[in-house]
Amino acid sequence: GVHTLLGRAYRKYSRVIFQSTYLSAAIDPRGWDAWHYAGQEQNFVYVEADCRGPGADKSKRVPWEKNLDPRDPSLLRQFSKEVFVDQDGWIANQPTS
């Protein structure tokens, strides 16, 4: 019976993206919380894209969660492993043991 949120606003311009993730039944149906920044939800970028599992049902999510147009993946692309995390190729260049 324990539920957890996907995220809560830690700062005024909070941003969290879950992509291609399995979300268990432990996810609170609301998904997100504005926490100390209620009334500033337009500044948040909270996104779920291509998630699966019992916690991925978005029918009861907060109304200010962003819904991306699947024909325009630019937001997701800018935070992809290749662009955001490994932009200078350091992951591919790690020595293997």
PDB file of all heavy atoms in Angstrom, residues 54-70:
ATOM      1  N   PRO A  54       2.393  -1.020 -14.330  1.00  0.00           N
ATOM      2  CA  PRO A  54       1.165  -0.569 -13.669  1.00  0.00           C
ATOM      3  C   PRO A  54       1.218   0.878 -13.182  1.00  0.00           C
ATOM      4  O   PRO A  54       0.184   1.526 -13.081  1.00  0.00           O
ATOM      5  CB  PRO A  54       0.999  -1.545 -12.500  1.00  0.00           C
ATOM      6  CG  PRO A  54       2.312  -2.220 -12.344  1.00  0.00           C
ATOM      7  CD  PRO A  54       3.010  -2.162 -13.656  1.00  0.00           C
ATOM      8  N   GLY A  55       2.384   1.406 -12.928  1.00  0.00           N
ATOM      9  CA  GLY A  55       2.504   2.790 -12.486  1.00  0.00           C
ATOM     10  C   GLY A  55       2.563   3.789 -13.621  1.00  0.00           C
ATOM     11  O   GLY A  55       2.649   4.996 -13.405  1.00  0.00           O
ATOM     12  N   ALA A  56       2.513   3.317 -14.861  1.00  0.00           N
ATOM     13  CA  ALA A  56       2.616   4.202 -16.028  1.00  0.00           C
ATOM     14  C   ALA A  56       1.271   4.741 -16.496  1.00  0.00           C
ATOM     15  O   ALA A  56       1.221   5.516 -17.457  1.00  0.00           O
ATOM     16  CB  ALA A  56       3.303   3.467 -17.178  1.00  0.00           C
ATOM     17  N   ASP A  57       0.198   4.400 -15.820  1.00  0.00           N
ATOM     18  CA  ASP A  57      -1.130   4.911 -16.172  1.00  0.00           C
ATOM     19  C   ASP A  57      -1.192   6.395 -15.834  1.00  0.00           C
ATOM     20  O   ASP A  57      -1.144   6.786 -14.670  1.00  0.00           O
ATOM     21  CB  ASP A  57      -2.197   4.143 -15.399  1.00  0.00           C
ATOM     22  CG  ASP A  57      -3.608   4.643 -15.673  1.00  0.00           C
ATOM     23  OD1 ASP A  57      -3.787   5.554 -16.512  1.00  0.00           O
ATOM     24  OD2 ASP A  57      -4.531   4.119 -15.037  1.00  0.00           O
ATOM     25  N   LYS A  58      -1.286   7.241 -16.844  1.00  0.00           N
ATOM     26  CA  LYS A  58      -1.255   8.695 -16.647  1.00  0.00           C
ATOM     27  C   LYS A  58      -2.641   9.318 -16.485  1.00  0.00           C
ATOM     28  O   LYS A  58      -2.768  10.521 -16.387  1.00  0.00           O
ATOM     29  CB  LYS A  58      -0.533   9.342 -17.824  1.00  0.00           C
ATOM     30  CG  LYS A  58       0.936   8.973 -17.868  1.00  0.00           C
ATOM     31  CD  LYS A  58       1.665   9.427 -19.116  1.00  0.00           C
ATOM     32  CE  LYS A  58       1.450  10.835 -19.498  1.00  0.00           C
ATOM     33  NZ  LYS A  58       2.280  11.321 -20.567  1.00  0.00           N
ATOM     34  N   SER A  59      -3.683   8.503 -16.386  1.00  0.00           N
ATOM     35  CA  SER A  59      -5.046   9.036 -16.344  1.00  0.00           C
ATOM     36  C   SER A  59      -5.338   9.877 -15.094  1.00  0.00           C
ATOM     37  O   SER A  59      -6.247  10.706 -15.121  1.00  0.00           O
ATOM     38  CB  SER A  59      -6.065   7.902 -16.462  1.00  0.00           C
ATOM     39  OG  SER A  59      -6.003   7.050 -15.328  1.00  0.00           O
ATOM     40  N   LYS A  60      -4.589   9.712 -14.025  1.00  0.00           N
ATOM     41  CA  LYS A  60      -4.827  10.482 -12.794  1.00  0.00           C
ATOM     42  C   LYS A  60      -3.657  11.388 -12.440  1.00  0.00           C
ATOM     43  O   LYS A  60      -3.542  11.854 -11.314  1.00  0.00           O
ATOM     44  CB  LYS A  60      -5.119   9.520 -11.640  1.00  0.00           C
ATOM     45  CG  LYS A  60      -6.389   8.739 -11.854  1.00  0.00           C
ATOM     46  CD  LYS A  60      -6.688   7.824 -10.699  1.00  0.00           C
ATOM     47  CE  LYS A  60      -7.961   7.040 -10.995  1.00  0.00           C
ATOM     48  NZ  LYS A  60      -8.186   5.977 -10.028  1.00  0.00           N
ATOM     49  N   ARG A  61      -2.794  11.643 -13.402  1.00  0.00           N
ATOM     50  CA  ARG A  61      -1.638  12.509 -13.161  1.00  0.00           C
ATOM     51  C   ARG A  61      -2.083  13.952 -12.961  1.00  0.00           C
ATOM     52  O   ARG A  61      -3.169  14.363 -13.384  1.00  0.00           O
ATOM     53  CB  ARG A  61      -0.665  12.459 -14.337  1.00  0.00           C
ATOM     54  CG  ARG A  61       0.031  11.139 -14.530  1.00  0.00           C
ATOM     55  CD  ARG A  61       1.012  10.832 -13.407  1.00  0.00           C
ATOM     56  NE  ARG A  61       1.904   9.753 -13.771  1.00  0.00           N
ATOM     57  CZ  ARG A  61       1.835   8.526 -13.284  1.00  0.00           C
ATOM     58  NH1 ARG A  61       0.900   8.209 -12.401  1.00  0.00           N
ATOM     59  NH2 ARG A  61       2.687   7.606 -13.672  1.00  0.00           N
ATOM     60  N   VAL A  62      -1.185  14.744 -12.362  1.00  0.00           N
ATOM     61  CA  VAL A  62      -1.465  16.164 -12.180  1.00  0.00           C
ATOM     62  C   VAL A  62      -1.672  16.797 -13.553  1.00  0.00           C
ATOM     63  O   VAL A  62      -1.049  16.380 -14.541  1.00  0.00           O
ATOM     64  CB  VAL A  62      -0.315  16.858 -11.417  1.00  0.00           C
ATOM     65  CG1 VAL A  62      -0.215  16.360  -9.989  1.00  0.00           C
ATOM     66  CG2 VAL A  62       1.006  16.704 -12.146  1.00  0.00           C
ATOM     67  N   PRO A  63      -2.538  17.800 -13.654  1.00  0.00           N
ATOM     68  CA  PRO A  63      -2.851  18.366 -14.971  1.00  0.00           C
ATOM     69  C   PRO A  63      -1.699  19.138 -15.607  1.00  0.00           C
ATOM     70  O   PRO A  63      -1.723  19.393 -16.801  1.00  0.00           O
ATOM     71  CB  PRO A  63      -4.042  19.291 -14.694  1.00  0.00           C
ATOM     72  CG  PRO A  63      -3.972  19.593 -13.246  1.00  0.00           C
ATOM     73  CD  PRO A  63      -3.347  18.389 -12.593  1.00  0.00           C
ATOM     74  N   TRP A  64      -0.695  19.482 -14.834  1.00  0.00           N
ATOM     75  CA  TRP A  64       0.405  20.281 -15.386  1.00  0.00           C
ATOM     76  C   TRP A  64       1.591  19.443 -15.845  1.00  0.00           C
ATOM     77  O   TRP A  64       2.611  19.990 -16.281  1.00  0.00           O
ATOM     78  CB  TRP A  64       0.848  21.354 -14.392  1.00  0.00           C
ATOM     79  CG  TRP A  64       0.872  20.929 -12.949  1.00  0.00           C
ATOM     80  CD1 TRP A  64      -0.129  21.090 -12.032  1.00  0.00           C
ATOM     81  CD2 TRP A  64       1.936  20.281 -12.267  1.00  0.00           C
ATOM     82  NE1 TRP A  64       0.258  20.568 -10.821  1.00  0.00           N
ATOM     83  CE2 TRP A  64       1.522  20.074 -10.930  1.00  0.00           C
ATOM     84  CE3 TRP A  64       3.208  19.858 -12.648  1.00  0.00           C
ATOM     85  CZ2 TRP A  64       2.319  19.465  -9.975  1.00  0.00           C
ATOM     86  CZ3 TRP A  64       4.007  19.249 -11.700  1.00  0.00           C
ATOM     87  CH2 TRP A  64       3.562  19.059 -10.376  1.00  0.00           C
ATOM     88  N   GLU A  65       1.467  18.116 -15.833  1.00  0.00           N
ATOM     89  CA  GLU A  65       2.532  17.301 -16.401  1.00  0.00           C
ATOM     90  C   GLU A  65       2.609  17.596 -17.898  1.00  0.00           C
ATOM     91  O   GLU A  65       1.588  17.741 -18.565  1.00  0.00           O
ATOM     92  CB  GLU A  65       2.248  15.819 -16.186  1.00  0.00           C
ATOM     93  CG  GLU A  65       3.306  14.944 -16.824  1.00  0.00           C
ATOM     94  CD  GLU A  65       3.005  13.467 -16.684  1.00  0.00           C
ATOM     95  OE1 GLU A  65       1.832  13.070 -16.831  1.00  0.00           O
ATOM     96  OE2 GLU A  65       3.938  12.719 -16.434  1.00  0.00           O
ATOM     97  N   LYS A  66       3.813  17.685 -18.440  1.00  0.00           N
ATOM     98  CA  LYS A  66       3.988  17.961 -19.867  1.00  0.00           C
ATOM     99  C   LYS A  66       3.701  16.703 -20.676  1.00  0.00           C
ATOM    100  O   LYS A  66       4.117  15.611 -20.323  1.00  0.00           O
ATOM    101  CB  LYS A  66       5.417  18.420 -20.168  1.00  0.00           C
ATOM    102  CG  LYS A  66       5.867  19.659 -19.424  1.00  0.00           C
ATOM    103  CD  LYS A  66       5.222  20.890 -19.955  1.00  0.00           C
ATOM    104  CE  LYS A  66       5.815  22.156 -19.387  1.00  0.00           C
ATOM    105  NZ  LYS A  66       5.263  22.634 -18.161  1.00  0.00           N
ATOM    106  N   ASN A  67       2.979  16.862 -21.753  1.00  0.00           N
ATOM    107  CA  ASN A  67       2.736  15.780 -22.695  1.00  0.00           C
ATOM    108  C   ASN A  67       3.399  16.160 -23.999  1.00  0.00           C
ATOM    109  O   ASN A  67       3.005  17.136 -24.634  1.00  0.00           O
ATOM    110  CB  ASN A  67       1.237  15.548 -22.884  1.00  0.00           C
ATOM    111  CG  ASN A  67       0.612  14.962 -21.650  1.00  0.00           C
ATOM    112  OD1 ASN A  67       1.014  13.896 -21.210  1.00  0.00           O
ATOM    113  ND2 ASN A  67      -0.338  15.662 -21.069  1.00  0.00           N
ATOM    114  N   LEU A  68       4.409  15.416 -24.363  1.00  0.00           N
ATOM    115  CA  LEU A  68       5.169  15.736 -25.566  1.00  0.00           C
ATOM    116  C   LEU A  68       4.473  15.216 -26.801  1.00  0.00           C
ATOM    117  O   LEU A  68       3.850  14.162 -26.788  1.00  0.00           O
ATOM    118  CB  LEU A  68       6.555  15.113 -25.483  1.00  0.00           C
ATOM    119  CG  LEU A  68       7.403  15.556 -24.307  1.00  0.00           C
ATOM    120  CD1 LEU A  68       8.747  14.857 -24.354  1.00  0.00           C
ATOM    121  CD2 LEU A  68       7.593  17.056 -24.316  1.00  0.00           C
ATOM    122  N   ASP A  69       4.617  15.947 -27.862  1.00  0.00           N
ATOM    123  CA  ASP A  69       4.130  15.519 -29.162  1.00  0.00           C
ATOM    124  C   ASP A  69       5.111  14.469 -29.686  1.00  0.00           C
ATOM    125  O   ASP A  69       6.292  14.761 -29.867  1.00  0.00           O
ATOM    126  CB  ASP A  69       4.084  16.718 -30.108  1.00  0.00           C
ATOM    127  CG  ASP A  69       3.537  16.381 -31.478  1.00  0.00           C
ATOM    128  OD1 ASP A  69       3.504  15.187 -31.842  1.00  0.00           O
ATOM    129  OD2 ASP A  69       3.143  17.318 -32.179  1.00  0.00           O
ATOM    130  N   PRO A  70       4.670  13.229 -29.875  1.00  0.00           N
ATOM    131  CA  PRO A  70       5.594  12.179 -30.319  1.00  0.00           C
ATOM    132  C   PRO A  70       6.240  12.464 -31.666  1.00  0.00           C
ATOM    133  O   PRO A  70       7.252  11.881 -32.010  1.00  0.00           O
ATOM    134  CB  PRO A  70       4.733  10.918 -30.370  1.00  0.00           C
ATOM    135  CG  PRO A  70       3.325  11.386 -30.354  1.00  0.00           C
ATOM    136  CD  PRO A  70       3.299  12.757 -29.737  1.00  0.00           C
TER     137      PRO A  70
END
